[in-house]
Amino acid sequence: MIIQHVIKGINGIDDAMARHLLDSGIKCLWWVNNDPLPFHEVPLRLNERNLDWHQNQYKQPDPLYPDAANPNNEPFHLHTPFVSATAGTVDRDAYQQTNTLTPAWEVALKFATDFWKSDGYLFYCYVFVIGKPAVGQQSFSEELRELNVYPGYSNFQPEGEITAKIVIPPAQIERAEFWSSQDAKTARDNKKLPAASRTLYGKHYVAPQDFNNVRDFLK
C-alpha cells in the first residue's frame, strides 16, 4: 500500500464552505445530492462501469438515472460515488524523445478556477492506493493515471487523476488554499506556484509521515 499525496481543486465555494469541507470531509456528489447517503447502495455504485463514466463521460446524460424533468436523463456526475483528485503526471513524446511534466497543482488549479475564469480553492490531501484495481474496496483509491494499472486509453489520462471513493475524510485533508483567478493564471503562465494569498488548516488532519510508503504528488 502507498500513501499518495494529492490535490483537489474546488470551484464555487467561500471560506466558510472550505472550512466545512476541512471539518467534515470532501464528499462525492452522489452524497452531496442525497444526504443522508443510502450507505447500503455503496457496494452497488462502486463498479467498473461507474468508474469509467466518472473518468470519461462525467457530464454526459446517464441512461441509468432518468428524471421526469429531464427526458434526456440526468448527467452522470450528479450520481457519481467517486471523488477526483490529482497527483500530476508525465506524458512521453516518443517522436520528440522527451517527457512533459504536468504538475498536480496546475491540473487542480484549472478545476478550482473553472478553467481560469473564477476564484477557487486547492485542498491538499492524501489517499491510499495499492498498485492494482480495487474498485469495490471503498478504502482504496484508484490510480487512473497509472497506465500499468489502467492501460485503457482515455483523453483525460494526462490529468493525473487519483480517484477516491465516497469521501476524503477530514483526517486526510491537511489544508485548503484560496486562489484568485488572476493569481492562478499567473502561476500557470510562470509554471511556478507561489505561496497562496490565504490558507485554512484542517483541525482533524493526521499527518502520514510516521507511516510507510508516503509518495508526494508531482510538482
Side-chain angles (χ1 to χ4, degrees):
M1 185 183 71
I2 296 171
I3 299 169
Q4 174 68 61
H5 284 281
V6 297
I7 309 177
K8 169 72 174 173
I10 300 181
N11 182 252
I13 64 173
D14 56 16
D15 274 6
M17 178 55 70
R19 167 56 62 191
H20 174 72
L21 295 177
L22 287 168
D23 291 343
S24 64
I26 300 173
K27 301 177 178 68
C28 65
L29 286 181
W30 173 38
W31 192 343
V32 171
N33 294 316
N34 295 273
D35 197 3
L37 185 72
F39 281 97
H40 65 280
E41 293 186 20
V42 168
L44 303 177
R45 301 291 183 104
L46 297 180
N47 58 59
E48 293 180 359
R49 182 267 184 190
N50 285 342
L51 182 63
D52 177 73
W53 272 67
H54 182 86
Q55 182 181 26
N56 297 304
Q57 303 187 69
Y58 187 72
K59 292 187 177 181
Q60 296 303 309
D62 187 348
L64 296 184
Y65 296 102
D67 179 76
N70 183 0
N72 294 320
N73 307 108
E74 292 187 328
F76 172 80
H77 73 274
L78 297 178
H79 303 277
T80 181
F82 301 105
V83 181
S84 292
T86 179
T89 193
V90 175
D91 188 32
R92 173 165 291 182
D93 187 332
Y95 181 78
Q96 297 291 337
Q97 295 185 325
T98 187
N99 291 342
T100 302
L101 168 68
T102 302
W105 63 262
E106 184 174 331
V107 176
L109 266 185
K110 178 177 70 174
F111 289 102
T113 59
D114 189 20
F115 293 77
W116 321 105
K117 297 193 295 285
S118 58
D119 303 341
Y121 291 77
L122 297 185
F123 288 79
Y124 290 77
C125 319
Y126 65 84
V127 296
F128 304 100
V129 296
I130 58 173
K132 58 179 61 178
V135 183
Q137 291 285 351
Q138 181 180 334
S139 299
F140 300 128
S141 296
E142 301 302 309
E143 195 167 9
L144 297 183
R145 68 172 184 170
E146 176 53 71
L147 295 179
N148 290 312
V149 178
Y150 283 96
Y153 179 79
S154 172
N155 286 331
F156 306 103
Q157 189 273 337
E159 293 176 351
E161 181 166 353
I162 310 289
T163 305
K165 299 163 187 172
I166 306 303
V167 63
I168 302 177
Q172 295 169 217
I173 310 174
E174 179 185 12
R175 68 186 190 274
E177 295 178 347
F178 169 81
W179 286 89
S180 69
S181 59
Q182 185 56 56
D183 287 347
K185 285 186 282 189
T186 299
R188 176 201 62 190
D189 295 342
N190 292 338
K191 299 296 182 182
K192 183 178 181 181
L193 189 69
S197 60
R198 66 178 182 270
T199 302
L200 304 173
Y201 290 92
K203 296 182 292 185
H204 307 295
Y205 179 66
V206 178
Q209 279 76 3
D210 293 336
F211 308 148
N212 291 329
N213 297 331
V214 178
R215 185 170 64 186
D216 205 355
F217 47 74
L218 295 175
K219 302 176 182 179

